[in-house]
Amino acid sequence: MIEKKIIIAIDGFSSTGKSTIAKHLAAELNYLYVDTGAMYRAITYYAMQQKYVTKEFLDKNALIEDLPKITLDFVYNSELQFSEMCLNGVNVEREIRTIQVSKLVSKVSAISEVRRKLVEQQQAMGTKKGLVMDGRDIGTVVFPGAELKLFMTASPEKRAARRYKELLDKGHKVSYDEVLENVQQRDLIDSTREDSPLVKAKDAVEFDNSDMGLREQFERVYNLALLKISEA
Ligand code: DC
């Protein structure tokens, strides 16, 4: 019997380890992994380059007007075994992970026209299923019919500590307090914005991984995925 493929939607607050679980899951199931946060970050990076957005300012109309000119592609890096974000043909994987982008991304992702463009592209990636996608609105807006929905949470302090370590490991200059403030700020904007706020889908399984090890978490998620695949 040929196994049916499903869509796995992983949503949650920033730095809850969504992408670690999603990547691992996609590799085990031989599914495609899509990090939708990278797409919002790339649009934000574009807006920063054009000086459409700063801490005090957002030229929403200029960005909306430019949207048809912006192309986003995931390009697979076989050495890293990871798809990297390309903005108009240029690899911006490192640039989009900086704290400067993190500080402005929630502002840009609250723009409905930006969301509409990205959601359309995300939905097109799921037509053949066999997909693990992580973000904030995947189970509620992008794929409300996803066979498996997960919602990840953890305390802001735990999340900030993880993100801080990750940034230091990659050579970014940042302080723990700056990261914690950013995590809290993004939680607030992402969950209170008007368009597609971060909320748990009714049928999502919630994981608070503040004190859960990665292995335990992965095993639970993997078993859930196998169950959903067998039921599909
Ligand atoms: O997953 P991340 O932390 O890289 O996401 C960066 C930001 O992008 C997040 O703070 C809000 C926005 N985002 C969104 O609005 N919707 C998504 N599906 C994914 C990310």
Side-chain angles (χ1 to χ4, degrees), residues 14 18 36-37 40-41 105-106 109 115 135-138 163 186 190 193:
S14 50
K18 298 186 296 293
T36 63
Y40 288 93
R41 286 173 178 274
V105 65
S106 290
S109 19
R115 304 204 67 81
R136 303 292 186 287
D137 59 344
I138 313 305
R163 188 59 145 219
R186 282 203 285 148
D190 294 347
R193 69 179 172 224

Side-chain angles (χ1 to χ4, degrees), residues 163-180:
R163 188 59 145 219
Y164 175 60
K165 184 175 179 307
E166 219 174 84
L167 285 167
L168 285 193
D169 287 348
K170 289 186 180 158
H172 292 278
K173 278 208 175 72
V174 70
S175 72
Y176 169 79
D177 289 344
E178 203 178 3
V179 176
L180 177 62

